[in-house]
Amino acid sequence: MTPTSVETFFATLRAANPQPVTELEYTSVFELLTAVLLSAQATDVGVNKATRRLFPVANTPRKLLELGLDGLEHHIRTIGLYRSKARHLLQTCRILVDQHGGEVPRTREALEALPGVGRKTANVVLNVAFGQPTMAVDTHIFRVSNRTGLAPGATPLAVEHQLMQRVPPAYRVDAHHWLILHGRYVCQARKPRCWECAVARTCDFRTKTPAP
């Protein structure tokens, strides 16, 4: 994609959705961190179902620690890998209480030092909670970036670096939301819905899918 095409691509996505937001449900930075940590290899829909049961009972690091491992597992057992996620989440809560006064830190280094929090999770928190222009490259963004020619790369980190270089500054804060939603609902893995894609003319995907 040329710089002009990239500009048109994001201008079109912004026009259709001026204020994109995550589909994870949360009311605090800690709830966001919890939801993102639980979302690894799980759907946002599945995570939201679990956190609707969990957050009314425990939605702070201290309350989760009081809930304990068995109690936490009970509330999130419908999520894949819930046992390891429960352990990581409680370990994270202990660090937040002991080292950060119960607050979620605002730096990448501190976030990535939390158990179960990798670069993608840290990027989501930095972007959604603190407004930083980060790119949380999940499977949707990785696919869309490579398929469209927007930011080709062999690894999520390579795609992230490409996106930070290629996405115009005016779009960077919201770019990862637009790309996730586009990959989830339009530029889908098995059969991209090119016939209803608003940015089909700007992308480099050659074998556009015809309407069924």
Side-chain angles (χ1 to χ4, degrees), residues 90-155:
L90 288 180
Q91 291 166 358
T92 283
C93 288
R94 174 52 60 194
I95 293 173
L96 292 179
V97 169
D98 292 347
Q99 300 180 21
H100 301 285
E103 300 295 324
V104 176
R106 292 172 171 262
T107 67
R108 177 186 303 283
E109 293 75 17
L111 285 168
E112 291 187 12
L114 300 173
V117 177
R119 186 176 182 88
K120 180 169 72 71
T121 297
N123 279 340
V124 173
V125 174
L126 291 171
N127 177 269
V128 176
F130 303 128
Q132 295 187 26
T134 58
M135 300 291 173
V137 180
D138 68 350
T139 55
H140 296 302
I141 292 183
F142 186 80
R143 178 178 66 256
V144 170
S145 296
N146 277 284
R147 179 184 280 165
T148 63
L150 171 63
T155 66

Side-chain angles (χ1 to χ4, degrees), residues 15-191:
N17 187 4
Q19 295 181 314
V21 295
T22 178
E23 293 186 327
L24 290 171
E25 297 172 358
Y26 70 97
T27 61
S28 69
V29 179
F30 176 71
E31 286 187 2
L32 173 65
L33 173 63
T34 298
V36 179
L37 191 154
L38 295 176
S39 71
Q41 299 182 34
T43 65
D44 288 358
V45 172
V47 171
N48 288 338
K49 287 181 179 179
T51 56
R52 286 171 197 158
R53 297 189 300 268
L54 174 64
F55 289 157
V57 176
N59 66 343
T60 68
R62 289 180 176 84
K63 288 180 179 179
L64 274 179
L65 289 170
E66 292 172 1
L67 192 62
L69 184 60
D70 290 343
L72 178 54
E73 287 184 351
H74 174 74
H75 283 88
I76 66 170
R77 65 185 184 279
T78 55
I79 300 176
L81 306 174
Y82 75 94
R83 293 186 188 277
S84 63
K85 290 177 181 179
R87 289 195 303 272
H88 287 153
L89 182 52
L90 288 180
Q91 291 166 358
T92 283
C93 288
R94 174 52 60 194
I95 293 173
L96 292 179
V97 169
D98 292 347
Q99 300 180 21
H100 301 285
E103 300 295 324
V104 176
R106 292 172 171 262
T107 67
R108 177 186 303 283
E109 293 75 17
L111 285 168
E112 291 187 12
L114 300 173
V117 177
R119 186 176 182 88
K120 180 169 72 71
T121 297
N123 279 340
V124 173
V125 174
L126 291 171
N127 177 269
V128 176
F130 303 128
Q132 295 187 26
T134 58
M135 300 291 173
V137 180
D138 68 350
T139 55
H140 296 302
I141 292 183
F142 186 80
R143 178 178 66 256
V144 170
S145 296
N146 277 284
R147 179 184 280 165
T148 63
L150 171 63
T155 66
L157 184 59
V159 169
E160 178 185 336
H161 289 327
Q162 279 275 75
L163 285 170
M164 292 304 295
Q165 293 177 8
R166 303 211 68 203
V167 177
Y171 304 109
R172 283 180 191 161
V173 170
D174 293 319
H176 102 268
H177 285 310
W178 287 318
L179 293 173
I180 287 173
L181 294 171
H182 191 64
R184 184 173 291 163
Y185 297 111
V186 181
C187 197
Q188 298 172 337
R190 293 186 179 181
K191 187 178 181 180

Side-chain angles (χ1 to χ4, degrees), residues 183-203:
R184 184 173 291 163
Y185 297 111
V186 181
C187 197
Q188 298 172 337
R190 293 186 179 181
K191 187 178 181 180
R193 304 175 68 83
C194 300
W195 66 91
E196 61 181 23
C197 176
V199 292
R201 292 185 177 180
T202 65
C203 96

